[in-house]
Amino acid sequence: MSEPSTNDSQSTDLASPDEEDDEPKLKYLRLSNDLHKILESDAVKCISVHPKFICVGTDWGAIHVLDHQGNGVKDKKLQPHTVGVNQISIDSRGEFIASCSDDGKVSIHGLYTKEDVVINLGRLIKTVGLDPFYYKGGVNKRFITGDEKLTLHEKTLFGRSKSTVLSFSEGLVSSLAWSDNFIAWSSDIGVRVYDMSARCSLGLIKWEDRPGISPSNFKCNLIWSDGHTLLIGWVDMVRICVIRRRSVNELGNKELSEFLVDPISAFRTDFFISGIAPLSHQLVLLGFPKETDKEGRSLHPELHIARYKENDYAEIYADSLSLRGYQHYKVNNYHLDVLIEENRFFIVAPKDVVVASLFDVDDRIQWLIEQSKYKEALDVVLQSKKGEMKKYTKESVGIAYLDFLIQKYKFDEAGELCFRIFGDNKKLWEEEIFKFAQSHHLRSISRFIPVSKENRLSPQIYEMVLYEYLVLDSKGFLNLIKSWDHTLYNIHAVISALLGHIVITDQDKVVYYEALAILYSYDKQYDKCLATYLKLKHKDVFRFIRERKLYYIISDLVVDLMNLDHEETINLLLEKEQGVDPEIIVEKLKDHELHLYRYLDSYTKKNPTGQFHGLLVRLYAIYDRDKLLPFLQRSDSYPIQNALNICRNAKFYPEMVHLLDRIGDTKEALGLIMNELKDMQKAILFCQEHNDSDLWNDLIEYTIKKPECITFLLRNIGNYVDPTILINKIEKDAKIPDVKNSLVKMLCDYSLQLAIKEGCKKILSSDYFELHNKLVIRQQKGINICDEMVCSGCRKQIISKDCNRSNDIILYYCSHSFHKTCLPQDQDVTSCAVCHPIKRK
């Protein structure tokens, strides 16, 4: 450790200068103030600490009561001894101080009372222990002294002093530790633990014989980590013992004490031990190096944190301490005391007192910042619990980290960091974002800036970001215009900046114009928006029209839209909800017939009302003849004569045949089939369809001078007309190919036709007579008359039970019945008056 500061804590540098520093676990504070003045003329011989104050015993026999910063407590300098103070003991409440010295005196001083006690034992007193509950008085007014024997001093019931030797003949008592009912002390042979309640020894922990090392030359360090755990550090050996109750089986021998000392760990270190203290489940050891420097002087003492095992330990951390005058000190010149509840360790040398304490959250953060480990520092902040930090906040550490990243030109990381540390803090966002603006790296933070309605920043912030993108990243500018809510910024200001930039740049014009179109839409300048889209030939215009329901604008832009994408435009025009008048569209497209054809072709499929069919005939004839004939066949809404003229001018003969047929000019239609289409099969089908003898005669006249046609006609006419008509018209000298086979087939077909007709006639005759017989038989059958039947004239029952009212009944096969008197006078009796009423003029 470098020289401790008088005001600030300073961590130890263990690593070599070329290696990265390890994070320290302890911080150090050198006590100064009044203690510094004391050490100018005196030296520390021992120390005892209490949560309220510190007691320092000096070589000149004085005891100074100081606060934890080294300031003297007023009127609390004691001078109980004439030579150096060997040990100081403080009761648990901090009301009484006991001390001993080689002058043979034991002094007990009350800090808040005048109950001072001074005893001169007349021999060298090396150790003293005050009952932790001495402040209670009564039986607790007791203390222990150690020299060649261990003596308990206490008051009896009558207030007299009584001294009891607890142990002797074991050598000089060099150290003593008292915890509740247990006392531990060291002698030349080892450490003994004594039960003050049972007034018996619990056992002796003996030292091993070490060649060349005498334990008496080393101070034994004893401390209770709690009421039942004793830590022992002597020479280079550490022992950890637990006081536990004996089991039921162990208590079978009534001579044994209730408790016993149970060693749980023992290990040897690489250094001599000048002090030992607990740290949770670990140990803090003040070590004195066994080696010396080249001149034979002592090296720096070391503070170690270790995790103990059964017979070994693992070193977790170590600091080399730079205490004043360390070159001239030996192992027994150093002391270590601890405030266990606070984990504060007091390291004492004759001319120096340094307090070591665990790094708290603030200390860790400060060290990490000093090492430029800002990320780790921020992680510590974010993981800390409420109240653990007093010096730092998430914002303060985050801003320091942000400055560091910007200094290192790590702007992307800095942008992400802003999101983590600023969150919804508008003030911090607006203050710190200017750091990115100064470096022209607002782009790095753009995706993290808050844009929600609840947390939005001032419009100028968003405009700054947009302007940087406008100048440096056209695509990024467009993406922001698309993704950001346009209420975040002043639209007019952004449009003005964009128009100005378009004038001075020749790059990415398409991207900028697209952004301009979107901005116009945000500003509800829809005409400019659509004009810009069309100028770009950008198909987003269709999406925009649908989203904004701008169908009323379509008619003015229909030509440009069709030029851009006729299919999408037509889909737009034909959407039911858009309500665009088709007559207006037709008028707008009249000079653009291809677009007009495409529109009307789609329009007719969805609206088969016949509107525009006359116009569509001409367009089909020009742009898609394959659709013309099917259209002419299914539609009845076009002017036939106009259509015929169009087809005649274009020489569309199949279409002309259809149209001529529709107007009844079958002869001309057949002539086109024969003369222009030259399709005998179609001609025959045409004649079959109309079944007109004159048409067959026309067909025969067309084919009679064409031998190859005669052959085809001979083969196919026999089923439809009398073949003799054709045969009689054939010239005698005509040469007809394959005439024999053709005649045979014709006669066969004709014979078959006659046979079929004859068969049909027989079937019809048979069916006629059979049905006639069924009708006669049915009419000859009787008809049942029941009581439920009523007269169709008077609506009364047809059968009357009163003989005086009986009447003739007329019943028809249609199931209607009448009383004869109920029939109309002029009605023919053979006809039902219901089914065949007489119409009167």
Side-chain angles (χ1 to χ4, degrees):
M1 155 176 142
S2 57
E3 195 74 14
S5 168
T6 58
N7 295 313
D8 300 324
S9 62
Q10 189 167 354
S11 61
T12 305
D13 183 6
L14 294 179
S16 63
D18 296 332
E19 296 176 351
E20 184 181 1
D21 289 343
D22 294 328
E23 181 179 342
K25 296 186 179 298
L26 299 171
K27 59 180 178 179
Y28 300 91
L29 177 69
R30 170 171 283 127
L31 295 188
S32 56
N33 301 321
D34 292 337
L35 179 62
H36 179 69
K37 298 177 181 178
I38 294 170
L39 297 181
E40 288 179 353
S41 57
D42 207 344
V44 178
K45 183 75 180 298
C46 63
I47 190 172
S48 183
V49 299
H50 188 273
K52 297 180 180 178
F53 54 84
I54 303 170
C55 288
V56 175
T58 70
D59 283 347
W60 293 104
I63 296 176
H64 298 272
V65 181
L66 309 170
D67 64 16
H68 289 173
Q69 285 73 43
N71 298 301
V73 179
K74 188 177 181 180
D75 299 330
K76 291 304 178 184
K77 175 186 176 183
L78 309 176
Q79 189 68 48
H81 305 285
T82 57
V83 295
V85 180
N86 289 332
Q87 188 172 2
I88 299 173
S89 178
I90 306 173
D91 71 336
S92 60
R93 188 175 286 185
E95 295 182 4
F96 292 90
I97 300 172
S99 62
C100 64
S101 174
D102 285 349
D103 62 2
K105 295 179 181 179
V106 175
S107 173
I108 301 175
H109 176 74
L111 294 177
Y112 308 106
T113 67
K114 295 182 179 180
E115 298 180 26
D116 293 348
V117 177
V118 178
I119 302 174
N120 193 340
L121 298 178
R123 55 185 181 272
L124 302 179
I125 305 300
K126 295 297 183 182
T127 183
V128 64
L130 199 60
D131 189 326
F133 303 103
Y134 190 89
Y135 63 90
K136 290 184 177 181
V139 295
N140 298 296
K141 289 287 187 179
R142 54 187 181 175
F143 62 94
I144 293 176
T145 59
D147 43 70
E148 294 296 332
K149 56 189 175 182
L150 188 75
T151 305
L152 172 66
H153 305 269
E154 56 186 335
K155 285 187 177 183
T156 63
L157 293 175
F158 301 103
R160 296 180 180 180
S161 298
K162 175 183 176 183
S163 298
T164 304
V165 178
L166 302 180
S167 177
F168 53 88
S169 301
E170 292 183 354
L172 183 65
V173 177
S174 59
S175 58
L176 172 68
W178 192 338
S179 172
D180 296 340
N181 292 324
F182 302 106
I183 298 175
W185 71 87
S186 65
S187 62
D188 292 344
I189 61 175
V191 174
R192 187 177 292 278
V193 181
Y194 192 85
D195 186 343
M196 290 296 292
S197 297
R199 294 296 175 96
C200 65
S201 174
L202 300 182
L204 174 66
I205 304 169
K206 292 185 177 182
W207 297 118
E208 300 175 0
D209 292 332
R210 300 278 298 279
I213 295 179
S214 174
S216 60
N217 294 330
F218 293 85
K219 177 184 64 177
C220 181
N221 302 279
L222 300 175
I223 187 170
W224 293 93
S225 65
D226 54 43
H228 294 80
T229 304
L230 177 64
L231 309 181
I232 306 170
W234 201 351
V235 191
D236 58 358
M237 192 73 182
V238 174
R239 293 181 185 272
I240 302 172
C241 304
V242 175
I243 311 302
R244 67 171 179 86
R245 292 181 184 274
R246 296 181 186 272
S247 64
V248 176
N249 294 332
E250 293 172 328
L251 286 173
N253 186 347
K254 296 182 180 180
E255 296 180 359
L256 296 176
S257 61
E258 181 182 0
F259 296 94
L260 61 82
V261 180
D262 188 4
I264 61 172
S265 178
F267 56 86
R268 184 170 286 118
T269 64
D270 297 330
F271 47 84
F272 295 125
I273 299 170
S274 295
I276 186 170
L279 175 61
S280 186
H281 298 293
Q282 301 169 348
L283 298 177
V284 175
L285 302 172
L286 179 59
F288 183 85
K290 296 179 179 181
E291 303 82 8
T292 60
D293 63 12
K294 295 180 180 179
E295 299 178 0
R297 297 181 301 182
S298 300
L299 300 177
H300 291 276
E302 299 170 344
L303 195 65
H304 299 263
I305 299 177
R307 181 183 297 109
Y308 58 86
K309 304 176 184 178
E310 184 176 356
N311 293 308
D312 198 2
Y313 74 103
E315 186 171 278
I316 297 174
Y317 184 76
D319 269 350
S320 179
L321 308 176
S322 182
L323 301 177
R324 295 188 182 105
Y326 69 90
Q327 301 94 332
H328 310 292
Y329 299 144
K330 301 300 180 183
V331 61
N332 290 342
N333 293 125
Y334 295 106
H335 304 273
L336 178 66
D337 207 344
V338 61
L339 290 175
I340 296 176
E341 297 80 5
E342 301 177 15
N343 286 327
R344 298 177 65 196
F345 306 92
F346 294 78
I347 304 156
V348 181
K351 289 292 183 177
D352 215 349
V353 178
V354 173
V355 182
S357 56
L358 292 177
F359 256 40
D360 58 18
V361 175
D362 285 327
D363 296 322
R364 288 194 65 199
I365 295 171
Q366 179 176 342
W367 184 86
L368 290 168
I369 290 175
E370 290 171 354
Q371 301 298 317
S372 297
K373 297 181 178 181
Y374 293 95
K375 183 179 184 301
E376 293 83 351
L378 184 59
D379 290 340
V380 172
V381 173
L382 297 176
Q383 294 168 8
S384 299
K385 297 179 181 178
K386 186 177 180 180
E388 288 185 334
M389 294 184 299
K390 298 178 176 61
K391 181 178 179 182
Y392 294 97
T393 63
K394 177 181 72 172
E395 289 76 15
S396 63
V397 176
I399 291 173
Y401 187 16
L402 178 65
D403 294 338
F404 172 77
L405 292 174
I406 291 176
Q407 185 181 4
K408 297 293 184 181
Y409 300 99
K410 297 180 178 180
F411 294 100
D412 291 338
E413 293 181 38
E416 184 176 359
L417 176 65
C418 289
F419 177 75
R420 293 179 62 195
I421 61 176
F422 298 158
D424 300 334
N425 193 323
K426 300 179 184 179
K427 183 180 178 182
L428 283 178
W429 271 107
E430 294 184 353
E431 289 176 355
E432 298 300 320
I433 203 170
F434 286 98
K435 295 177 181 178
F436 291 85
Q438 292 170 358
S439 303
H440 303 292
H441 278 85
L442 287 168
R443 290 162 293 163
S444 298
I445 202 173
S446 62
R447 59 194 177 101
F448 303 107
I449 294 178
V451 294
S452 64
K453 292 183 179 179
E454 299 78 14
N455 303 312
R456 60 182 56 188
L457 310 179
S458 62
Q460 292 78 13
I461 300 297
Y462 302 103
E463 290 166 17
M464 283 196 311
V465 176
L466 287 171
Y467 186 76
E468 182 175 302
Y469 270 103
L470 174 63
V471 176
L472 301 176
D473 184 354
S474 60
K475 293 183 179 178
F477 176 77
L478 176 60
N479 289 334
L480 284 188
I481 293 298
K482 288 181 177 180
S483 60
W484 276 2
D485 187 343
H486 63 274
T487 60
L488 293 172
Y489 48 85
N490 187 315
I491 297 176
H492 294 109
V494 177
I495 290 176
S496 178
L498 177 55
L499 289 173
H501 187 71
I502 290 174
V503 173
I504 63 174
T505 186
D506 294 327
Q507 296 180 347
D508 299 328
K509 291 267 190 178
V510 173
V511 177
Y512 288 129
Y513 274 117
E514 183 178 354
L516 182 61
I518 296 173
L519 289 170
Y520 278 141
S521 71
Y522 292 158
D523 199 34
K524 297 185 179 180
Q525 300 184 50
Y526 300 131
D527 53 344
K528 293 183 178 181
C529 171
L530 293 177
T532 305
Y533 272 131
L534 291 173
K535 181 178 180 179
L536 291 174
K537 299 187 181 302
H538 200 297
K539 294 188 179 181
D540 267 3
V541 65
F542 301 104
R543 175 189 57 78
F544 179 74
I545 290 174
R546 286 189 176 92
E547 289 178 355
R548 305 288 178 170
K549 299 188 183 302
L550 302 176
Y551 299 105
Y552 60 90
I553 299 179
I554 297 177
S555 58
D556 295 330
L557 303 173
V558 65
V559 175
D560 292 329
L561 292 172
M562 292 290 284
N563 289 334
L564 177 60
D565 188 336
H566 65 273
E567 292 182 357
E568 190 64 30
T569 303
I570 292 170
N571 291 335
L572 199 63
L573 291 170
L574 296 181
E575 290 176 2
K576 290 183 179 180
E577 65 274 10
Q578 50 85 17
V580 180
D581 189 347
E583 292 185 357
I584 297 176
I585 301 302
V586 170
E587 178 64 24
K588 294 289 184 179
L589 295 177
K590 66 181 180 179
D591 296 328
H592 304 273
E593 289 192 337
L594 178 59
H595 292 328
L596 180 60
Y597 153 69
R598 290 167 173 165
Y599 168 69
L600 290 179
D601 180 49
S602 299
Y603 177 80
T604 302
K605 293 176 182 177
K606 283 199 170 185
N607 300 276
T609 59
Q611 190 180 15
F612 309 117
H613 281 201
L615 179 58
L616 195 55
V617 171
R618 181 175 62 83
L619 296 175
Y620 276 137
I622 297 173
Y623 296 105
D624 196 347
R625 183 190 170 186
D626 291 341
K627 293 182 179 180
L628 179 57
L629 182 57
F631 175 73
L632 294 173
Q633 290 172 342
R634 68 174 178 268
S635 175
D636 295 325
S637 302
Y638 55 86
I640 295 180
Q641 190 58 50
N642 290 343
L644 182 59
N645 293 336
I646 292 170
C647 294
R648 182 174 281 116
N649 293 334
K651 297 182 179 180
F652 292 166
Y653 299 117
E655 292 80 357
M656 290 176 62
V657 169
H658 173 72
L659 293 171
L660 289 170
D661 184 20
R662 289 194 62 175
I663 64 177
D665 194 350
T666 55
K667 184 173 184 178
E668 184 178 354
L670 182 60
L672 288 176
I673 296 173
M674 294 299 299
N675 298 325
E676 302 298 338
L677 299 179
K678 296 180 173 46
D679 188 344
M680 281 296 299
Q681 183 66 44
K682 184 175 180 64
I684 292 173
L685 292 175
F686 185 79
C687 293
Q688 291 174 6
E689 181 181 348
H690 292 82
N691 196 20
D692 184 355
S693 57
D694 292 337
L695 202 58
W696 281 109
N697 290 330
D698 291 338
L699 177 60
I700 292 171
E701 292 297 333
Y702 283 126
T703 58
I704 200 64
K705 296 180 180 181
K706 299 176 181 179
E708 66 279 2
C709 294
I710 294 175
T711 302
F712 188 85
L713 197 58
L714 288 172
R715 289 178 178 272
N716 295 280
I717 200 174
N719 292 327
Y720 308 105
V721 296
D722 187 354
T724 58
I725 299 174
L726 174 60
I727 295 172
N728 291 332
K729 290 188 177 184
I730 297 175
E731 298 179 359
K732 294 182 179 180
D733 298 331
K735 294 182 179 181
I736 302 172
D738 199 19
V739 66
K740 179 179 179 180
N741 292 331
S742 299
L743 288 172
V744 170
K745 184 176 186 308
M746 180 191 68
L747 293 175
C748 290
D749 291 342
Y750 185 69
S751 299
L752 179 61
Q753 184 180 11
L754 292 178
I756 292 172
K757 287 182 179 180
E758 192 63 32
C760 290
K761 181 186 280 188
K762 290 180 179 180
I763 292 172
L764 287 173
S765 297
S766 175
D767 289 344
Y768 168 77
F769 288 110
E770 183 178 351
L771 292 173
H772 182 268
N773 291 334
K774 287 182 179 179
L775 178 61
V776 172
I777 293 171
R778 180 181 176 186
Q779 291 180 347
Q780 289 176 346
K781 286 183 178 180
I783 299 175
N784 183 37
I785 300 176
C786 58
D787 292 339
E788 287 77 12
M789 295 179 67
V790 295
C791 174
S792 298
C794 65
R795 310 307 297 172
K796 294 180 180 180
Q797 288 184 338
I798 197 70
I799 301 175
S800 177
K801 297 181 179 179
D802 187 357
C803 297
N804 296 325
R805 300 177 61 187
S806 60
N807 201 344
D808 292 338
I809 297 172
I810 297 176
L811 183 64
Y812 295 98
Y813 284 107
C814 60
S815 299
H816 292 121
S817 57
F818 292 89
H819 293 121
K820 185 174 182 180
T821 57
C822 293
L823 282 172
Q825 295 181 359
D826 52 355
Q827 178 71 37
D828 185 3
V829 178
T830 60
S831 300
C832 175
V834 177
C835 298
H836 304 285
I838 297 175
K839 295 183 180 180
R840 292 174 175 82
K841 295 182 181 179

